[in-house]
Amino acid sequence: MHLDLEEQEQIDQIKHFWKRWGNLISWVLIVVLGAYAAWNGWQWWERRNATQAAVLFDTVDQAARSGDMTMLERSLTDIQSRFASVPLTHHSALLAARTFEAKGDRAKAKAALQWVTSHASDDGLLALAWWRLAGLQLQDQDWTGAKASLTEHKVPDAFKALFEERLGDLAKLQNQNDQARNSYQKAWAAAQAGSDHRRWLEIKLAALGVQPQEK
């Protein structure tokens, strides 16, 4: 078929456009499609890791429930070495730490919690790990370590009352009653009104001779 002048002009314009912008368009498409493929690959990898980590978490959970400490250590080491970035692994370490503590092995409990603080990215899990680690450090009379765990990290608002209370405990153990009263008062102010936590803080404040006050 013979093209009329208008069709020929349109074809010439397309050729001119492609000659000028064709390489750029091709590279943009390559980058976009490559990024999409990489994103899909990453999603598949994350789902695969999460599934496999779930299997190992069950092993950690079963070992903790049965009190099989040898299996607990082995399964925890396995999941930590293979899936360090998966949130379920961080939960595994928290569970193992609680079990170690219950069995009186504070050293292993602290090691598990410290691992969480080095690998977790969730603010809530990090705060929980620091708070529990500080509790173990208080038991070991590691005042410097406990203070660092409680003060050197930003924590969500939901944990502020717990952290302030533990700072009060730290001060009380060091016979620093003024600091203890101040921390307990801050904890009381941050705790939910009418909660059991507030009532417990009121008991601690009363033991120091003060009544909590709203600020």
Side-chain angles (χ1 to χ4, degrees):
M1 294 179 60
H2 294 288
L3 300 176
D4 58 30
L5 291 178
E6 184 178 355
E7 291 174 327
Q8 185 62 52
E9 183 178 353
Q10 290 176 347
I11 291 174
D12 290 340
Q13 288 176 348
I14 293 173
K15 288 181 178 179
H16 176 72
F17 176 84
W18 188 255
K19 183 177 181 181
R20 183 176 181 180
W21 301 105
N23 285 339
L24 177 60
I25 292 173
S26 296
W27 280 110
V28 169
L29 287 173
I30 290 172
V31 171
V32 170
L33 292 174
Y36 180 72
W39 182 83
N40 278 335
W42 175 254
Q43 292 294 311
W44 173 84
W45 180 259
E46 286 286 287
R47 288 193 297 269
R48 174 180 176 273
N49 283 353
T51 300
Q52 294 183 356
V55 175
L56 291 176
F57 175 81
D58 285 341
T59 305
V60 173
D61 183 52
Q62 290 173 14
R65 290 175 181 274
S66 65
D68 187 340
M69 305 310 290
T70 301
M71 177 61 72
L72 179 62
E73 290 184 56
R74 186 184 304 126
S75 55
L76 179 62
T77 299
D78 192 12
I79 193 172
Q80 286 174 329
S81 63
R82 295 176 61 186
F83 306 108
S85 64
V86 177
L88 206 54
T89 304
H90 311 149
H91 285 282
S92 296
L94 290 171
L95 173 60
R98 186 174 64 192
T99 307
F100 289 137
E101 182 181 2
K103 294 293 184 179
D105 195 336
R106 289 202 295 271
K108 289 179 181 177
K110 288 195 289 186
L113 292 171
Q114 287 167 338
W115 185 91
V116 176
T117 65
S118 299
H119 292 81
S121 57
D122 179 81
D123 290 341
L125 289 180
L126 285 170
L128 180 59
W130 284 120
W131 181 76
R132 288 175 55 184
L133 178 60
L136 294 174
Q137 290 166 329
L138 288 182
Q139 293 181 51
D140 290 336
Q141 298 186 4
D142 179 7
W143 312 138
T144 301
K147 186 173 183 179
S149 296
L150 293 168
T151 61
E152 295 184 359
H153 316 281
K154 186 177 180 180
V155 300
D157 290 343
F159 284 86
K160 286 185 178 179
L162 292 172
F163 272 67
E164 287 293 346
E165 180 187 8
R166 192 142 282 178
L167 280 170
D169 294 340
L170 171 61
K172 186 72 168 56
L173 288 169
Q174 296 178 91
N175 296 315
Q176 299 171 349
N177 288 344
D178 288 341
Q179 292 186 28
R181 281 191 288 267
N182 185 50
S183 291
Y184 288 150
Q185 173 63 52
K186 289 181 179 178
W188 184 88
Q192 184 178 2
S195 64
D196 290 339
H197 191 197
R198 261 202 172 184
R199 285 188 283 272
W200 173 240
L201 288 165
E202 288 169 2
I203 294 173
K204 289 188 174 184
L205 283 166
L208 293 171
V210 295
Q211 293 295 322
Q213 297 178 355
E214 293 283 3
K215 295 185 178 180

